[in-house]
Amino acid sequence: MSDQGRWVDGDLVEVGNTASPFSSFDFVERHFGDYPPIRRLFSQARGLEMKAVLLENIPAVGLVALENEEISRLYSDYSMGGLRRMSFWSIEIEDVSDLIKASPDALLGYAILKEDKVPSLGKQEWHVFEAVTRKNEFRHIYIPSGKQFEVRIQGTPFSIPGVLYCQQNGLNKACAQVALRSLCALHVPDSEVSFQAINNAAASATGPFDPNQGLDVTQMRAVLESFGIRYTDIDYTALSDEEQRALTYQKFLYAGIESGAGALLGFKLTGPEASGRHIIPFFGHTFNRDTWVPNADSAYFHVGEDTKYIPSESWLASFVGHDDNFGSNYCVPRLYITPEQAQYVVSLYRKNVHYSGVEAEAIAVNFLYSMRKHIIPSGPAWLRRMVHYIDTQQVVLRAIALTKPEYVTHLRCLQDWSGNREHELVCEQIDQFLPESLWMVELSVPELFPANLRKVGEILLNAGTAPEPDQDVAAYIFARLPERYFVFSGTADDGTPKFAIGPSGLVAHTPLFSEACRGA
């Protein structure tokens, strides 16, 4: 770890307490020039109530040194002009010794800023090699992706959660490489995700190429596979118009985001002078509980002729992601990028997950309708209500990829609207037979899901093995509805699934799963 730019010892350049009359614009212009992505970092830190900024010179080690080697092979007159680490703080800093006494969450963000020089190209520019900032705790922002990044500032260690932001430099990396590094670093040790490794993996698929022109679909697939990351992707340029309409990119983006793995969207630019394509990583979303669309849309999402449901993404307002041209943690309205612009979408999977959340929802809704004839609408009120919503095909589905410990922790934490909890013996029994990787498809209703962020139950699927065509029964584990579990017990003569029914201590609606529920 000591050979990385976020951990290496640095020489102090400046400490600035950011109360008025301190100017973030003056600071950026004085040290770097006019660079919007760097100003964006200050804007985010201001939103987190920044009180100080600290700037250090650091040596080129680790991933930065690898990048310098790669650029030098591409451009013989390349040199690195400068390398600085900037950090943002929620405390005033009079002396660097104040960092020793700082609380663990005093660090609001950091950035490694790098200057590249290539005289033959007339190029001398700073860019954000990498940065992480804490997320704003706005109620309607949901960011399940992220990891802890270890940072050492003036000899004092800190840890900060987030998603790497990286910026292209037009030399050895374009938007595709930086987008891939942002998300791949969530899945494998980030010290392994060098731009050199990304470009080498891409070249292994297609042969030598110019990395400043970005990556094509074949190369991006090769990069993900080189890091052992499973995914679902759609190349819209290879589809008919009808196929494009059926496979909306928003659903695949949402599936990767909601499961905590992240997603990528490539799109073509439009406008009188626009040309080319761009790709950006997404890892969160905002939620609009008052949107009118789900109530007005009578089509919902069709799986089969008689099976339709309302996807939970219907209440999504914006996707949260990085745009390396402008900065980190931006909200992109759900419908801002049109279907005609969408070129390529990638929905990543969590570790040991073998199929997508889109497929998990399709499997779950088929089982839900198969299960309906086994549900006697008596007993608790919410079981009767759930039957009504199944019969009217208005069930809301939300797929979340979990580990076994995460689900069991969630089940133990659940408390229904009447104050009931699940029986501990049931939790212990479930813990004994569940596989290690799961899809939990939460079941809710339109009036309950957006207003209260609550559900009526869930269907659990084995995520560790991709089901063969027409063999969805291999994935199904059980469904939990009010007062009852429906466990798969075989197949009837007509090919429909059969269920054994067991008791549940939860009889009313419960909270949805949130990132705070992850227990492992």
Side-chain angles (χ1 to χ4, degrees), residues 53-68:
V53 59
L54 190 150
L55 190 64
E56 304 164 278
N57 281 325
I58 59 173
V61 298
L63 300 186
V64 173
L66 286 175
E67 174 166 281
N68 289 348

Side-chain angles (χ1 to χ4, degrees), residues 368-385:
L368 184 64
Y369 287 110
S370 296
M371 195 187 308
R372 165 61 185 94
K373 66 182 180 181
H374 299 273
I375 303 175
I376 301 172
S378 61
W382 273 102
L383 186 61
R384 299 196 304 273
R385 291 170 186 148

Side-chain angles (χ1 to χ4, degrees), residues 150-169:
E150 306 300 321
V151 189
R152 188 167 66 183
I153 308 296
Q154 290 294 293
T156 302
F158 292 87
S159 180
I160 184 168
V163 179
L164 274 180
Y165 166 74
C166 309
Q167 189 183 7
Q168 61 182 301
N169 61 4

